[in-house]
Structure formats: structure tokens, C-alpha cells
Amino acid sequence: MSTANGYVSNGEKRLKLTDVDEETLNSGGEGYTATQVFVKNPACVAYTYDDVIVMPGHISFALGDVDISTKLTRNIELQVPFVSSPMDTVTEHKMAITMALQGGIGIIHSNMKPEDQAAEVRRVKKFKNGFILDPVCLSPESTLEEVYRTKESLGFSSFPVTDNGKMGGRLVGIISNRDTSFIEDISVKVKEFMTPRGQLTSAKEGVSLGEANKMLKESKKGKLPVVNENDELVALIARTDLQKNRDNPRASKDSVNKQLLCGASIGTRPDDKIRAKLLVDAGADVLVVDSSQGDSTYQIEMIQHLKSTHPKVDVIGGNVVTPSQAHHLIQAGVDGLRVGMGIGSICTTQEVCAVGRAQASAVYHVSKYARKFGIPIVADGGIKSTGHITKALCLGAGCVMMGSMLAGTDEAPGEYFYQDGVRLKRYRGMGSIEAMNQGGEKRYVWDTAATAVKVAQGVSGAVTDKGTLQRYVPYLMQGVRHGLQDAGVQSLHDAREKLYSNRLRFEIRSPAAQKEGGVHGLHSYQKRLY
């Protein structure tokens, strides 16, 4: 054996050292292409995430150089490929706010009144603003008691004061915690303790966000009112928003007002058109048409209505697991697809209805087809670890949607409770009887016909405490970066390029191999995520 000029010779052949010879590739020594695994599949087997393992690749970049930015839909980009599921034990405004701050997005569930769901979206959009275009205002004649009530209901403590107590009125002052801290008489009027107009720094209408932020920093004030030539209030900027922007550089924001991105789910019934309008008016950036089986005339009609009535709002259709299902929704005009059927930890659709598909196969086939039309897909369900997230992304998904992975966090709805000394939170499928009784049935029964017997397609349970998303999401991100780096993939774009050019390789694991790939051979152990 001799080596010279980048070639190796065994006396019979000269091979370039940068290449693996065709014989080795074809032998399975480097694993198999996705086409070999999922398409040339004589056993007609569908695969789950656990069935598949990604082959390692060459690493020529640092962990910090791995780019996990992606597309949620045709028009919405995210810095982090994580989406919280529209379930009533997963995503309300607290979850959506924190997901967006971390670079992902939350989808507000629809298992509530339309007005309440719109209010949840509005709370997300108002949480972090550039220009606050509709701040809550008080009148000089308002009392301290009213101030306290407003603070308690809205969760913030500073308010502009206008002559008529409304946005657009003439600015006469501002009140903050500092103004109210030492007043005991709750009947005293705002005009007696507010900071008057003469002591305020303000900006003129037309000021850029950058200029306004600079003025706010220089004035060292908490709020900067923006007024027109008649001294009428037209907007407000908050110092806390600048701090949040500094602390969350990856935050998912719209390009105009720098508001957090937020999605919301709707059903396919006629009254969902009214719900959709309320959500769009509240500022929703994307609507998710939420059906367990998305290939229906009901969903197609809803998608067509949304795209014609609200053309500036992106629409994600689903759920689908086959290219033909995806084709119908793409024809209807979707901007993204949600993939998964019957594979969630609390979902029993495959057991009860005998319809669905293993998730790894579903993600690969649908993403490959949707790619032809420039439609990103969201892999929804079946995610139990950062390894599953990495596999979904390597199989073509643009984002992953998570339910049980996020349900035990502080930001998920509901209270913690203890069972056998373990801190838990309740988590239930939207097809469970409990969720159906509160409105979740429309995800599984798409028309308005009365249904005498409810057939559960989910269960209720509990998940362990995972702490705050502010620590948990960075852990998930770093785990995915490690996985992509080990696969020799520097970005999600790179992953797709290598997937479809057969340079990303896979193998199918036997049950024994799956067991070997986890913790084994120990009498006892403690598993800590971070």
C-alpha cells in the first residue's frame, strides 16, 4: 500500500482519497439513500423516527456555525424550527410569547370562544412592540381604583393619559408605578398624581423606529409617546421592549412593527370563517386549519375562502401523510403543510380508526412532493427527543410541531400537581372526550351535523415538569445542532440539498439496535437533560 499526491494504491488500483469507491457505496457500508430506504421498499414497510438512524458525515465546521433557521411557510421565516401545537394544554399566550422570543412560533388553540382566542393572539402581538399603535389610555378623571383594576387585568403598569381617555386624544400626561406607589386614597383622580405633559419627552409622528429608540435611551424614560402636530397621541414606545429585543436577538418578529409572530388554529365549519376574521383583525400572522384528516372538501373550501378573503395571512393546511392529500391542499392555495396522523403520544387515531402513517415515512414522502411547489412542511407529532427533531429535519421537514415535549413547561396552560412525589402537568389529546366536550370535536367531525356518539381519538394524561422554556428551548436547539453537526450538515438548507442528492445516508435499525442505542446495561441511572 502506498500513498502519493492525494491517491492511494494497493498495487492494482489507484483511488482518490477524497472519494469512497462505488463498490463501498453500493455495499451499504455508508448506509443507504433515502430513496433506497423509503422508495425502493420491497417489504412495503412504513418507518417511525425510532426505526431510522442518520449516518455520520464529515465535520468541517464548529458547532456554533450550524444554522437552524428555516421556513415555516412560503413567506414566514424562523430562526428556530420549533412550533408549539394548537392544543388546549399546550399553547395559549404565555407559550406563544416565549416560543416567539426564542425564535420559534406558537399556534393558539381554538378550544375556546372566538373572542377569547382573538384576545390571546392580541396579547402576544402587544407583548413586544416597536410602535404600540393602540396603547391603553386613561382619562385625567379616572381614579386610582380604576388604575389598579386596569393594571391587574392587563399585567402592565404604565399608561398614557389623554384628555378623553382614548387613543387619538390630546396627550396630557403619563402614569407609572412610581406615581402610584405611595398613594393610599384609591378615589384620588389621575390628574392629581400623573406626570404632566410638560415633563414628558415625546417624538413627532413620522419618526423612525431607530430614531425613537435613540430618543428613549437618551431620555432615560420608561415610555416615549409619539404625537402628531396637534399633540394628539398616535403611538407609544416602551423601554422594556428595547431590553427584550436585546435579550432575545433570535425573536420571531414581523418586519413592519417588530411585533412577535403568532399563529392560531381554526376548524372547517362555516362559523370558523367568523373566527378567522377575528383572528386576522387581532394580528395573527398565520392560520392553521386544524383537522385530523386534512384532505376533505370542507378544508379545501376553507383554505380557498381564507386565501381570497385574507390574502396577506399565510395558511397552513393539514393534517396530511400522503402526497395525494398534500396535492389537493396545495391546489387549494396553502402556504405550508402540517404532516402527521395518529402518531402523537396522546393520539389513538391509528388504533381507533385504523388510518394513518408512521411519521418518518410520512415526513419524507410529503416533504419531497411539496418541495416541487416550494411548500414547507411542519412535522407534527411523534417527537420525543432532540434526536427525533434532527431526524425530522434530515427527512425534509422545515419545522417540527411539538405537544408533549412542551406541555410540562411553566408556560403551558394549567397548574402543576404532585403524584407519587413527581411534579406533573395535565396533558390531553384534542381527540380525548374531555377536550371534545369543550369544543375539540370539530377537529375530528368537520361538518355541522349533530353527532350522537362521540368516538375518542385521544386520551388524557400527565407529563413531567420540564421547567421554563427559557432554559428548555436552548437545550433543544443545542441538541439539534449537535445532531446536524454529527451528520456533517451545516444548515437545514444543506440538509435538504444532501438529502435529495443522496449524500445524506440512513439505515433502518432492528429492535435490538434501537435498544442498544439507548441507555442499557445499568442497574439504575438518573437522566438529566441539562
Side-chain angles (χ1 to χ4, degrees):
M1 182 74 70
S2 61
T3 303
N5 300 322
Y7 285 83
V8 62
S9 173
N10 62 4
E12 298 178 4
K13 294 182 179 179
R14 292 182 78 238
L15 299 175
K16 195 172 182 180
L17 286 175
T18 55
D19 298 332
V20 173
D21 62 282
E22 201 70 24
E23 179 184 352
T24 302
L25 280 176
N26 293 336
S27 72
E30 291 289 309
Y32 301 91
T33 67
T35 301
Q36 290 173 310
V37 171
F38 294 102
V39 180
K40 298 175 181 178
N41 183 1
C44 303
V45 177
Y47 297 115
T48 68
Y49 292 135
D50 282 339
D51 292 324
V52 178
I53 195 73
V54 184
M55 294 292 98
H58 176 65
I59 299 172
S60 60
F61 48 88
L63 184 65
D65 295 331
V66 178
D67 179 10
I68 58 173
S69 62
T70 189
K71 277 198 165 188
L72 172 71
T73 65
R74 266 195 270 232
N75 304 304
I76 296 177
E77 295 185 3
L78 302 176
Q79 293 300 306
V80 177
F82 302 156
V83 185
S84 65
S85 182
M87 304 172 71
D88 60 6
T89 50
V90 179
T91 309
E92 292 181 354
H93 73 274
K94 289 182 180 179
M95 175 67 72
I97 286 170
T98 312
M99 287 294 292
L101 288 174
Q102 294 289 336
I105 193 170
I107 311 298
I108 305 291
H109 73 85
S110 60
N111 215 11
M112 62 179 92
K113 294 178 181 178
E115 296 80 7
D116 294 339
Q117 188 183 17
E120 289 289 306
V121 171
R122 201 171 287 112
R123 293 180 79 169
V124 179
K125 301 302 289 185
K126 284 187 175 183
F127 178 78
K128 182 180 182 179
N129 299 300
F131 292 100
I132 305 172
L133 302 178
D134 55 349
V136 176
C137 300
L138 295 174
S139 159
E141 299 300 318
S142 300
T143 64
L144 181 59
E145 182 179 11
E146 293 174 71
V147 173
Y148 285 152
R149 274 204 308 267
T150 307
K151 285 169 61 176
E152 185 176 354
S153 63
L154 297 178
F156 47 87
S157 57
S158 295
F159 306 95
V161 183
T162 59
D163 58 352
N164 61 3
K166 297 179 181 178
M167 179 63 180
R170 185 171 55 84
L171 182 66
V172 295
I174 273 184
I175 60 169
S176 64
N177 263 339
R178 179 182 55 199
D179 298 312
T180 61
S181 295
F182 302 104
I183 302 175
E184 297 180 359
D185 182 3
I186 62 173
S187 65
V188 67
K189 294 186 176 180
V190 164
K191 62 184 178 183
E192 300 296 331
F193 58 84
M194 69 182 184
T195 302
R197 174 69 177 94
Q199 297 179 24
L200 302 179
T201 300
S202 62
K204 289 295 183 182
E205 186 177 21
V207 66
S208 71
L209 184 61
E211 292 168 340
N213 286 343
K214 184 178 179 182
M215 292 178 65
L216 193 57
K217 289 178 181 178
E218 291 175 349
S219 69
K220 299 181 180 179
K221 301 287 187 181
K223 299 287 188 294
L224 179 70
V226 181
V227 295
N228 61 19
E229 58 185 10
N230 298 320
D231 211 34
E232 295 166 334
L233 185 67
V234 297
L236 191 69
I237 294 181
R239 184 178 62 187
T240 52
D241 288 334
L242 298 181
Q243 295 168 337
K244 292 166 194 166
N245 188 58
R246 180 193 64 202
D247 296 338
N248 299 279
R250 293 185 302 271
S252 305
K253 299 176 288 187
D254 68 56
S255 58
V256 179
N257 290 323
K258 305 299 180 185
Q259 295 176 324
L260 293 182
L261 296 181
C262 180
S265 68
I266 63 169
T268 58
R269 297 181 178 182
D271 57 1
D272 281 295
K273 295 177 181 178
I274 300 172
R275 181 185 291 268
K277 184 179 186 311
L278 290 173
L279 295 170
V280 172
D281 290 345
D285 300 284
V286 57
L287 295 178
V288 176
V289 186
D290 193 16
S291 299
S292 62
Q293 210 280 52
D295 185 14
S296 69
T297 56
Y298 308 106
Q299 178 154 162
I300 289 170
E301 289 170 2
M302 179 59 73
I303 291 167
Q304 291 170 339
H305 166 78
L306 294 174
K307 295 308 295 181
S308 62
T309 309
H310 310 290
K312 294 184 178 180
V313 178
D314 278 12
V315 176
I316 295 176
N319 282 29
V320 298
V321 292
T322 67
S324 63
Q325 288 180 298
H327 179 77
H328 295 149
L329 301 190
I330 291 170
Q331 277 188 320
V334 293
D335 303 290
L337 288 167
R338 190 174 167 200
V339 176
M341 187 174 181
I343 39 74
S345 62
I346 39 65
C347 186
T348 60
T349 296
Q350 292 189 17
E351 176 186 343
V352 172
C353 300
V355 179
R357 194 175 204 175
Q359 186 69 340
S361 294
V363 169
Y364 173 74
H365 287 293
V366 176
S367 62
K368 183 179 180 182
Y369 183 78
R371 181 174 180 261
K372 299 176 183 178
F373 305 92
I375 303 296
I377 72 131
V378 179
D380 174 26
I383 300 291
K384 294 184 289 188
S385 66
T386 54
H388 285 178
I389 298 173
T390 302
K391 291 175 186 180
L393 298 174
C394 286
L395 290 170
C399 295
V400 295
M401 180 174 281
M402 296 176 283
S404 62
M405 288 279 284
L406 303 176
T409 60
D410 295 348
E411 291 79 6
E415 300 296 326
Y416 286 108
F417 66 98
Y418 285 87
Q419 183 174 312
D420 299 327
V422 180
R423 196 169 189 241
L424 306 170
K425 253 192 184 181
R426 300 207 179 277
Y427 175 55
R428 68 187 187 190
M430 296 302 284
S432 65
I433 291 296
E434 294 86 349
M436 280 187 168
N437 287 336
Q438 293 187 14
E441 179 186 27
K442 64 184 179 182
R443 188 174 191 269
Y444 300 86
V445 182
W446 307 290
D447 54 40
T448 55
T451 305
V453 179
K454 290 182 172 66
V455 177
Q457 295 185 41
V459 299
S460 296
V463 290
T464 56
D465 172 21
K466 292 187 177 72
T468 175
L469 281 178
Q470 294 172 1
R471 291 187 63 201
Y472 188 53
V473 170
Y475 155 75
L476 297 178
M477 292 166 52
Q478 198 72 342
V480 171
R481 287 195 182 102
H482 275 290
L484 294 175
Q485 185 189 42
D486 283 350
V489 171
Q490 192 167 353
S491 68
L492 298 190
H493 175 75
D494 186 30
R496 286 185 282 274
E497 287 296 313
K498 289 182 175 178
L499 171 67
Y500 298 118
S501 63
N502 294 332
R503 289 179 292 152
L504 196 59
R505 315 283 282 198
F506 305 87
E507 274 187 344
I508 301 304
R509 299 192 295 173
S510 67
Q514 293 180 37
K515 182 178 180 181
E516 181 183 62
V519 179
H520 59 278
L522 300 179
H523 174 268
S524 62
Y525 69 95
Q526 181 181 19
K527 188 174 183 178
R528 296 181 60 185
L529 298 180
Y530 50 85

